[in-house]
Amino acid sequence: MKELNDVIVSKAIIKEYMDDLLDYTEMDVAIGGGGPSGVTAGYYLAKAGYKVALFERKLSIGGGMWGGGMMFNKVVVQEEGKRILDEFNIKSKPFQDNYYTVDSIECTSTLCSKATQAGLKIFNLMSIEDVMIRKDKINGVVLNWSSVEMAGLHIDPLTVESKAVIDATGHPTEIAKIVEKKSQKNLNTTTGKIIGEGSMWADRAENKILENVSEIYPGLYVTGMAANAVHGSPRMGPIFGGMLLSGEYVAKKIIQNLEK
Ligand code: 48F
């Protein structure tokens, strides 16, 4: 083996990371949250040629998908979502009519792998702690290291610009909460506020989710569990067709709006 220099390893990592970070100070779409809906949205946007980055608070991407249902690492996908599993080449096994089981580890890792290979840029270990609002439109997100947030350090964040932002933060709807609190205008929900998720009801939750994928404030879109929580629909538990389909659908909506 050729001789290795530790400092060159450091230089390579620092240079490449800083180049990426600088490049993504301006982009088409910023996604908050790396669960299945956010990653799927990122895949479809990247595949369509958009410059898109996803910011995930945790070390790992995948949100609530790794652990299946109650740590049994299988998830269920219904007939409509199977098309997306097939597109990603993720194996699924028929259980009975309309129910497929999927290995949650294969599913999560493959979504992540195919999305990054399609061009989605993922920044993990970063939290979106605020948004940029200009002329009553969301124009970007405000980022800080998750470790700064966890340690409670008083360190100012940095801002990046995007034409659209997706709240894919799941149950807590974190970006929508920031906008609800800081903007003077109502959100585009039936009450003008975040309604909050209902208790678990897979059938209703999955049947409502595509209707809930929407632009809730100019420039801010919701997908995945965040879409149901913002609009007051139930949670669905470990069935994931709606997560995949809502990720695809929010990408489609944004593409239509950005093309206008
Ligand atoms: O919760 P999560 O997996 O969201 P999802 O894509 O999928 C929901 C399902 O996992 C499951 C369900 C459906 O069957 O009910 O719960 O809607 O992933 C959300 C990700 O967002 C990250 C968080 O760490 C998680 O990985 N996140 C949350 N807030 C922030 C954030 C933030 N402010 N900045 C960055 N990442």
Side-chain angles (χ1 to χ4, degrees):
M1 228 188 251
K2 284 187 189 168
E3 191 183 324
L4 291 168
N5 180 321
D6 300 84
V7 177
I8 295 177
V9 175
S10 304
K11 281 183 179 169
I13 290 173
I14 294 168
K15 163 101 179 48
E16 290 305 308
Y17 191 88
M18 289 307 171
D19 284 354
D20 280 351
L21 195 54
L22 210 51
D23 189 19
Y24 282 87
T25 48
E26 289 162 319
M27 69 198 99
D28 294 318
V29 186
I31 303 173
S37 66
V39 174
T40 307
Y43 167 83
Y44 284 105
L45 285 161
K47 205 173 147 216
Y50 287 85
K51 184 175 178 185
V52 49
L54 185 155
F55 302 95
E56 165 56 50
R57 171 178 288 141
K58 294 190 177 150
L59 178 58
S60 65
I61 304 304
M65 199 180 225
W66 295 106
M70 219 179 107
M71 294 204 274
F72 301 155
N73 63 4
K74 302 278 177 200
V75 295
V76 169
V77 171
Q78 65 275 54
E79 199 61 56
E80 291 88 343
K82 166 104 170 36
R83 172 178 61 77
I84 298 188
L85 293 176
D86 292 345
E87 175 162 352
F88 278 87
N89 214 3
I90 295 168
K91 287 194 293 297
S92 57
K93 195 168 149 195
F95 183 71
Q96 63 180 67
D97 184 36
N98 197 31
Y99 298 81
Y100 293 86
T101 56
V102 184
D103 181 287
S104 71
I105 309 295
E106 180 188 346
C107 195
T108 314
S109 57
T110 308
L111 286 178
C112 182
S113 159
K114 294 266 163 75
T116 48
Q117 284 174 354
L120 171 67
K121 180 70 206 160
I122 295 182
F123 293 95
N124 59 343
L125 298 167
M126 277 191 202
S127 291
I128 295 178
E129 63 165 57
D130 199 355
V131 292
M132 174 156 68
I133 308 180
R134 296 288 180 275
K135 296 184 186 152
D136 285 332
K137 182 183 175 298
I138 308 298
N139 277 48
V141 293
V142 178
L143 300 166
N144 216 330
W145 298 112
S146 308
S147 48
V148 166
E149 181 184 68
M150 287 161 77
L153 300 175
H154 188 165
I155 297 177
D156 272 320
L158 291 173
T159 306
V160 295
E161 188 178 63
S162 64
K163 295 176 189 148
V165 172
I166 303 177
D167 185 340
T169 63
H171 298 270
T173 65
E174 288 200 20
I175 304 171
K177 272 193 191 135
I178 295 163
V179 176
E180 181 187 50
K181 192 170 147 204
K182 296 198 175 180
S183 128
Q184 309 306 320
K185 282 177 54 177
N186 278 346
L187 300 180
N188 185 19
T189 65
T190 52
T191 62
K193 303 272 171 213
I194 294 169
I195 302 172
E197 73 181 47
S199 68
M200 193 135 115
W201 188 348
D203 181 58
R204 181 163 289 186
E206 291 286 292
N207 279 301
K208 274 282 183 188
I209 195 160
L210 294 187
E211 198 184 303
N212 290 334
V213 169
S214 51
E215 188 175 11
I216 58 164
Y217 192 92
L220 176 64
Y221 296 77
V222 280
T223 190
M225 189 56 222
N228 272 18
V230 162
H231 288 287
S233 295
R235 65 187 301 194
M236 67 288 290
I239 177 154
F240 278 79
M243 295 300 115
L244 307 176
L245 292 164
S246 69
E248 178 193 41
Y249 191 46
V250 78
K252 195 170 156 196
K253 267 187 180 263
I254 291 175
I255 291 167
Q256 276 166 0
N257 288 345
L258 291 183
E259 274 172 358
K260 270 182 200 161

